[in-house]
Amino acid sequence: RSNNFQHNTPPKDMENAYMGQGAQVDKGENARMSSFIGAIAIADLVKTTLGPKGMDKILQRVSQNDQSISVTNDGATILKSVNIDNAAAKVLVDIAKVQDDEVGDGTTSVAVFCGELLREAEKLVAQRIHPQTICRGWRLARDAARKALEKCAIDNGQDEAKFRQDLLNIARTTLSSKLLTHDKDYFANLAVDAVLRLAKTGDISNIQIIKKAGGQLRDSYLEAGFIMDKKIGVGCPKKVTGAKILIANTSMDTDKIKIFGSRVRVDAMSKVAEIEEAEKDKMRAKCKKIVDHGINVFINRQLIYNFPEQLFAEAGIMSIEHADFEGVERLAAVTGGEVASTFDHPELVKLGKCDTIEEVMIGEDKVVRFSGCEAGEACTVVLRGASGHMLDEAERSLHDALAVLRETVKETRTICGGGCTEILMAAAVDKQVPSVPGKKAIAMEAFARALRQMPAIVADNGGYDSAELVTQLRSAHASGDIHAGLDMYNGTVGDMAKLGVRESFKSKLQVLLSASEAAEMILRVDDIIKCAPRQREGH
């Protein structure tokens, strides 16, 4: 019987015989098929959101406590929200996340391009071309595409007026595929103004976005100072000029005994009063230390109870409580102060400064406005809109525009959009194919086809005839018009330089590199091993 087992067991059963309970292996074709199918399915999921005529998706949560929905067009947001079991699909989600963190825009493009590469790879593998050969061909194609991209990039970083125009064009192009497309000129100006204020640090967290439902999207505006969505304490001055701000993270609620689990026995009510008075004296001493810093504004991350609030009001100090951690950190950065927790050494505490602090109304709500902050780059974008869902999507759109502009300020090269660079890169790859011997050349042709698929998808999403438009576009490029791209508003081939359709060089380069590297990684997989967690023995 044991001999039979040795001779007749297929290899897979042999493997399982040595594997622990619950482990599972997909080999060769099955593993590759599973990877391709998973990655292509994810790419197809976000494909329809690509381009200025892309559609939106509704994401609905299905947990017991959270039934909320969000409506979005942002590739990274959609992919983050989808619960995925397929390993290759997770790789696509990761590259979209990295694209979002690194550049901010191009999250859909990177997932779709990776999916198109894998679609081409599936056909090549079916023709019995080895995955390593395909990878070698793709690397050659990627280098050719990168050179073509660098060659067509324009750098206006030295000319301020032209560079601002480039930034405006990039912001318009980014916003044209989002919810803000109808007011894209207005929001592009707003985003460029906000980013150019950050010229020194490039820290996008200095731009705060506040969402207030009501009004319409066009009522949104850029506030030069910093706005905090909090209320000023009762009885405190509502406006302070020449503010010296102490930003703190300390408990201001000790007007009750804090010894837990203890019991205090007294033989008269007057003794209780004495304990309370001792507590108040302790708080008075703490407040006096704070007042001795020579400040006129006190902002605390935690609550400020009525008694200390009253003491601050008597000393003519404006107090603001419960400024959440993010607010406190951002406020410290903006006003040039530091967050303090103890107040024994006033000389060591760095106070924040700003010209005016006052209470203003936005819609129906009161907020606190800090104007003339020490870090002049701080600003707040106040978004108005019809509903919470709309405001969330507007915030995502604006964040993408701000992030891509910030990267463009650092890497000032820009390129034409509208499928222009994809056709240009594909032409450069095709040009190199005849000089490459062997099957690598077939893989290079496949890479060029995947690149040309991008403008075709954008055209399809607009309801145009993609085959017609992409062939016209190739013909325009072949006849020397290197600025030709898709004019999605008229459904024709247009001059992208005249139409002002520009994209960030860094964003496009990141899409090219991330997608091809991820596709290469997925293509090289030949086994998928699912390991069961080790069983804990009962003790």
Side-chain angles (χ1 to χ4, degrees), residues 19-37:
M19 287 231 175
Q21 204 88 42
Q24 196 184 335
V25 184
D26 284 340
K27 295 194 76 67
E29 279 303 304
N30 288 350
R32 202 166 289 127
M33 191 60 69
S34 155
S35 299
F36 285 161
I37 288 169

Side-chain angles (χ1 to χ4, degrees), residues 70-304:
S70 50
V71 183
T72 184
N73 177 296
D74 181 44
T77 310
I78 296 166
L79 293 179
K80 272 184 214 163
S81 313
V82 179
N83 203 353
I84 293 167
D85 194 29
N86 184 289
K90 282 182 181 162
V91 173
L92 253 72
V93 173
D94 280 347
I95 57 169
K97 276 186 195 163
V98 169
Q99 181 79 14
D100 198 31
D101 299 340
E102 192 72 15
V103 190
D105 193 30
T107 48
T108 309
S109 306
V110 76
V112 171
F113 182 43
C114 186
E116 289 306 322
L117 280 171
L118 290 170
R119 211 187 293 272
E120 292 295 335
E122 196 176 2
K123 294 175 197 163
L124 296 182
V125 170
Q127 291 171 24
R128 318 299 294 162
I129 297 175
H130 195 278
Q132 292 290 8
T133 311
I134 300 172
C135 291
R136 279 208 299 281
W138 278 1
R139 273 187 222 127
L140 290 171
R142 185 169 68 216
D143 292 343
R146 185 178 185 161
K147 280 180 194 144
L149 189 64
E150 284 170 354
K151 200 170 151 194
C152 75
I154 299 169
D155 191 347
N156 286 329
Q158 306 308 314
D159 184 335
E160 205 172 304
K162 277 187 178 174
F163 186 55
R164 186 186 165 85
Q165 193 54 48
D166 275 355
L167 288 178
L168 280 169
N169 286 338
I170 286 172
R172 280 194 204 106
T173 307
T174 299
L175 293 171
S176 65
S177 64
K178 310 264 192 273
L179 173 83
L180 302 176
T181 179
H182 301 300
D183 297 314
K184 66 182 173 198
D185 290 339
Y186 181 73
F187 280 100
N189 266 311
L190 191 141
V192 170
D193 288 343
V195 167
L196 288 178
R197 292 174 73 95
L198 298 179
K200 282 177 250 159
T201 59
D203 182 5
I204 209 166
S205 63
N206 279 348
I207 302 175
Q208 189 189 19
I209 298 179
I210 284 186
K211 299 175 289 193
K212 290 283 176 196
Q216 54 186 24
L217 280 170
R218 210 178 169 85
D219 297 340
S220 308
Y221 61 92
L222 181 71
E223 179 66 60
F226 181 86
I227 289 180
M228 188 175 251
D229 198 358
K230 299 290 167 194
K231 293 194 170 54
I232 294 170
V234 179
C236 297
K238 299 292 182 204
K239 181 172 181 178
V240 171
T241 48
K244 290 184 191 135
I245 311 162
L246 178 61
I247 304 163
N249 181 8
T250 185
S251 59
M252 301 294 289
D253 55 353
T254 35
D255 50 359
K256 53 184 181 296
I257 290 178
K258 277 284 181 76
I259 310 164
F260 294 103
S262 64
R263 296 169 72 183
V264 181
R265 284 200 170 173
V266 290
D267 48 15
M269 275 307 286
S270 57
K271 298 259 174 85
V272 176
E274 278 171 33
I275 292 170
E276 284 177 353
E277 195 52 44
E279 283 290 343
K280 283 191 173 178
D281 284 344
K282 212 166 139 194
M283 183 49 87
R284 269 194 204 98
K286 188 170 186 178
C287 288
K288 187 175 183 317
K289 279 183 192 170
I290 291 170
V291 173
D292 288 347
H293 282 65
I295 57 166
N296 50 14
V297 180
F298 177 71
I299 297 173
N300 192 21
R301 188 202 159 194
Q302 301 177 35
L303 290 169
I304 302 177

Side-chain angles (χ1 to χ4, degrees), residues 325-437:
F325 192 66
E326 200 180 84
V328 164
E329 287 283 304
R330 195 179 270 155
L331 195 59
V334 162
T335 56
E338 284 175 357
V339 182
S341 293
T342 56
F343 312 102
D344 296 325
H345 299 285
E347 71 281 0
L348 299 177
V349 176
K350 195 174 173 198
L351 299 177
K353 293 186 176 65
C354 79
D355 294 345
T356 316
I357 299 179
E358 58 189 332
E359 203 170 52
V360 292
M361 295 283 286
I362 296 181
E364 303 292 307
D365 302 330
K366 285 182 182 170
V367 294
V368 182
R369 179 170 67 194
F370 297 72
S371 348
C373 299
E374 188 150 287
E377 53 195 38
C379 55
T380 302
V381 177
V382 179
L383 286 178
R384 309 299 309 278
S387 70
H389 301 132
M390 203 171 205
L391 286 171
D392 289 343
E393 178 61 359
E395 183 188 16
R396 281 191 287 270
S397 308
L398 195 61
H399 179 270
D400 282 4
L402 291 171
V404 81
L405 288 175
R406 176 196 60 190
E407 291 304 323
T408 313
V409 169
K410 290 183 198 165
E411 161 60 272
T412 50
R413 285 180 286 178
T414 62
I415 50 168
C416 287
C420 168
T421 44
E422 280 87 351
I423 295 291
L424 207 75
M425 290 190 284
V429 173
D430 278 340
K431 195 175 174 186
Q432 208 177 317
V433 167
S435 60
V436 176

